[in-house]
Coordinates of all heavy atoms in Angstrom, one line a residue:
F752 N 87.3 75.1 136.0 CA 86.2 76.1 136.1 C 85.0 75.6 135.3 O 85.1 75.1 134.2 CB 86.7 77.5 135.5 CG 85.5 78.4 135.2 CD1 84.7 78.9 136.2 CD2 85.3 78.8 133.9 CE1 83.7 79.8 135.9 CE2 84.3 79.7 133.6 CZ 83.4 80.2 134.6
T753 N 83.8 75.7 135.9 CA 82.6 75.2 135.3 C 81.7 76.4 134.8 O 81.6 76.6 133.6 CB 81.8 74.3 136.3 OG1 81.6 75.1 137.5 CG2 82.6 73.1 136.6
S754 N 81.2 77.2 135.7 CA 80.4 78.3 135.3 C 80.2 79.2 136.5 O 80.3 78.7 137.6 CB 79.1 78.0 134.6 OG 78.3 77.3 135.6
G755 N 80.0 80.5 136.3 CA 79.8 81.4 137.4 C 81.0 81.4 138.3 O 82.1 81.8 137.9
R756 N 80.8 81.0 139.6 CA 81.9 80.9 140.5 C 82.2 79.4 140.8 O 83.0 79.1 141.7 CB 81.6 81.6 141.9 CG 81.5 83.1 141.8 CD 81.4 83.7 143.2 NE 81.6 85.2 143.1 CZ 80.5 86.0 142.9 NH1 79.3 85.5 142.8 NH2 80.7 87.3 142.9
G757 N 81.6 78.5 140.0 CA 81.8 77.1 140.2 C 83.2 76.6 139.7 O 83.6 76.9 138.6
V758 N 83.8 75.8 140.5 CA 85.1 75.1 140.2 C 85.0 73.7 140.7 O 84.8 73.4 141.9 CB 86.3 75.9 140.9 CG1 87.6 75.2 140.5 CG2 86.3 77.3 140.4
A759 N 85.3 72.8 139.8 CA 85.4 71.3 140.2 C 86.9 71.1 140.5 O 87.8 71.5 139.7 CB 84.9 70.4 139.1
V760 N 87.2 70.3 141.5 CA 88.6 69.9 141.8 C 88.6 68.4 142.0 O 87.6 67.7 142.3 CB 89.1 70.6 143.1 CG1 89.0 72.1 143.0 CG2 88.3 70.2 144.3
E761 N 89.8 67.9 141.7 CA 90.0 66.4 141.9 C 90.0 66.0 143.3 O 90.2 66.8 144.3 CB 91.3 66.0 141.2 CG 91.2 66.0 139.7 CD 92.2 65.2 139.0 OE1 93.3 65.7 138.8 OE2 91.9 64.1 138.6
W762 N 89.8 64.7 143.5 CA 89.6 64.1 144.8 C 90.8 64.4 145.8 O 90.7 64.4 147.0 CB 89.4 62.6 144.7 CG 90.5 61.9 144.1 CD1 90.7 61.7 142.8 CD2 91.6 61.2 144.8 NE1 91.9 61.0 142.6 CE2 92.4 60.7 143.8 CE3 91.9 61.1 146.2 CZ2 93.6 60.0 144.2 CZ3 93.1 60.4 146.5 CH2 93.9 59.9 145.5
D763 N 92.0 64.5 145.2 CA 93.2 64.6 146.0 C 93.7 66.0 146.3 O 94.8 66.3 146.8 CB 94.4 63.8 145.4 CG 94.6 64.0 143.9 OD1 93.7 64.6 143.3 OD2 95.6 63.6 143.4
V764 N 92.8 67.0 146.0 CA 93.1 68.4 146.4 C 92.9 68.5 147.9 O 91.8 68.1 148.4 CB 92.2 69.4 145.6 CG1 92.4 70.8 146.2 CG2 92.6 69.4 144.1
P765 N 93.8 69.0 148.7 CA 93.7 68.9 150.2 C 92.5 69.8 150.6 O 92.1 70.8 150.0 CB 95.0 69.6 150.6 CG 96.0 69.4 149.5 CD 95.2 69.4 148.3
A766 N 91.9 69.3 151.7 CA 90.7 70.0 152.3 C 91.0 71.4 152.7 O 90.2 72.3 152.5 CB 90.2 69.2 153.5
A767 N 92.2 71.7 153.2 CA 92.6 73.0 153.5 C 92.6 74.0 152.3 O 92.3 75.2 152.4 CB 94.0 73.1 154.2
T768 N 93.1 73.5 151.1 CA 93.1 74.2 149.9 C 91.6 74.6 149.5 O 91.3 75.7 149.1 CB 93.8 73.5 148.8 OG1 95.1 73.2 149.2 CG2 93.8 74.3 147.5
I769 N 90.8 73.6 149.6 CA 89.4 73.8 149.2 C 88.7 74.9 150.1 O 88.0 75.8 149.7 CB 88.6 72.5 149.3 CG1 89.1 71.5 148.2 CG2 87.1 72.7 149.2 CD1 88.5 70.1 148.3
E770 N 89.0 74.8 151.4 CA 88.5 75.8 152.4 C 88.9 77.2 152.0 O 88.2 78.2 152.1 CB 88.8 75.4 153.8 CG 88.1 74.1 154.3 CD 88.7 73.7 155.6 OE1 89.5 74.4 156.2 OE2 88.3 72.6 156.1
A771 N 90.2 77.3 151.7 CA 90.8 78.6 151.3 C 90.2 79.2 150.1 O 89.9 80.4 150.0 CB 92.3 78.5 151.2
L772 N 89.9 78.3 149.1 CA 89.3 78.7 147.8 C 87.8 79.2 148.1 O 87.3 80.1 147.6 CB 89.3 77.6 146.8 CG 90.7 77.4 146.2 CD1 90.7 76.1 145.4 CD2 91.1 78.5 145.3
E773 N 87.1 78.4 149.0 CA 85.8 78.7 149.3 C 85.7 80.1 150.0 O 84.8 80.9 149.9 CB 85.1 77.6 150.1 CG 84.9 76.4 149.3 CD 84.3 75.2 150.1 OE1 84.6 75.2 151.3 OE2 83.6 74.4 149.5
A774 N 86.7 80.4 150.9 CA 86.8 81.6 151.5 C 86.9 82.8 150.6 O 86.5 83.9 150.9 CB 87.9 81.7 152.6
K775 N 87.5 82.6 149.4 CA 87.6 83.6 148.4 C 86.3 83.7 147.5 O 86.2 84.5 146.6 CB 88.8 83.3 147.5 CG 90.1 83.4 148.1 CD 91.2 83.1 147.2 CE 92.6 83.2 147.8 NZ 93.0 84.6 148.1
G776 N 85.3 82.9 147.8 CA 84.0 82.9 147.1 C 83.8 81.9 146.0 O 82.8 81.9 145.3
H777 N 84.8 81.0 145.8 CA 84.7 79.9 144.8 C 83.7 78.9 145.4 O 83.7 78.6 146.5 CB 86.0 79.3 144.5 CG 87.0 80.2 143.9 ND1 86.9 80.6 142.6 CD2 88.1 80.8 144.4 CE1 88.0 81.4 142.3 NE2 88.7 81.5 143.4
Q778 N 82.9 78.4 144.5 CA 81.9 77.3 144.8 C 82.5 76.0 144.4 O 82.5 75.7 143.2 CB 80.6 77.6 144.2 CG 79.9 78.9 144.7 CD 78.7 79.3 143.9 OE1 78.4 78.7 142.9 NE2 78.0 80.3 144.3
I779 N 83.1 75.3 145.3 CA 83.9 74.1 145.0 C 83.1 72.8 145.0 O 82.4 72.6 146.0 CB 85.1 74.0 146.0 CG1 85.9 75.3 146.0 CG2 86.0 72.8 145.6 CD1 86.6 75.6 144.7

């Protein structure tokens, strides 16, 4: 977690996981 809704993820987090998190409002 960075700030606000911002979340940094490592390079090997699957794209589908990132899309699902973004759908919940996280800024990845």
Side-chain angles (χ1 to χ4, degrees):
F752 164 63
T753 54
S754 62
R756 290 190 173 90
V758 179
V760 300
E761 288 199 276
W762 63 274
D763 46 347
V764 172
T768 301
I769 293 174
E770 291 172 6
L772 288 169
E773 289 177 334
K775 292 179 182 289
H777 297 284
Q778 297 169 353
I779 304 297

